[in-house]
Structures are given as structure tokens and as C-alpha cells.
Amino acid sequence: MSTAFLRLTLFTKTNCGLCTTAKEALTRVPFQLDQIDIYAPGQEAAQKYMFDVPVVELNGRVAMMHRIDELKLIDILHNAQNSDSQQKN
């Protein structure tokens, strides 16, 4: 099952305990992850997510926010993979 089409992004900020916990959980998820600090220079996500970090987006859509449940995230990823592979058949 190919995962090349799925894009997982974690929106985070410094000094965020929930973000640290989310990062730790996401390192155990077998998936490539992009991390974005919402307050990095040139980043426009601060207005969108300033009260909601951590936020995990899957292909540009919010999959989870605040407390990241590792098992639920794995289910979301499996469902997304299965959905796409069924559409290709």
C-alpha cells in the first residue's frame, strides 16, 4: 500500500506541552511528517491555529487537534490509505 499521496503536517509552537506530547506520539507512527512552527517567520498558520496547537493535518485537512491520540491517528491514516486505494481500483 503506497503512502506517497498522503501528506501529514503537524502545526506546533515553542513552549507547548501538548505539542511535545504530540511530537512524541507522531514519532511512533510509521509515517513521514512535516512540522511547522506557526510562529516561524513568514508562516501564516498563526492566525488559523494560534489557540488550537497542536494540529495535525492530513492532505491539508484537519485530522486532529489539541490532544493527539496515537491509536486514533493510526486509524485515520489507515482509513485514508484504504479509501484512496479503493478509488484507484
Side-chain angles (χ1 to χ4, degrees):
M1 204 179 304
S2 172
T3 60
F5 62 92
L6 296 178
R7 188 169 138 215
L8 195 63
T9 307
L10 172 64
F11 291 89
T12 184
K13 65 180 182 178
T14 57
N15 299 320
C16 170
L18 287 175
C19 298
T20 301
T21 302
K23 286 178 200 176
E24 290 169 0
L26 290 169
T27 61
R28 294 186 296 268
V29 175
F31 210 84
Q32 183 175 342
L33 174 70
D34 295 323
Q35 293 185 47
I36 296 175
D37 182 333
I38 64 169
Y39 293 117
Q43 188 52 248
E44 296 178 11
Q47 288 293 347
K48 188 175 181 181
Y49 294 133
M50 68 185 341
F51 299 113
D52 293 314
V53 292
V55 176
V56 175
E57 284 188 354
L58 177 60
N59 292 341
R61 296 180 135 180
V62 174
M64 302 185 91
M65 61 174 49
H66 306 136
R67 296 190 185 278
I68 306 304
D69 181 320
E70 184 177 342
L71 295 176
K72 185 175 179 183
L73 182 60
I74 289 171
D75 282 343
I76 289 169
L77 293 172
H78 284 289
N79 289 338
Q81 289 171 332
N82 291 336
S83 172
D84 189 68
S85 63
Q86 287 176 357
Q87 290 176 1
K88 289 181 180 181
N89 291 332

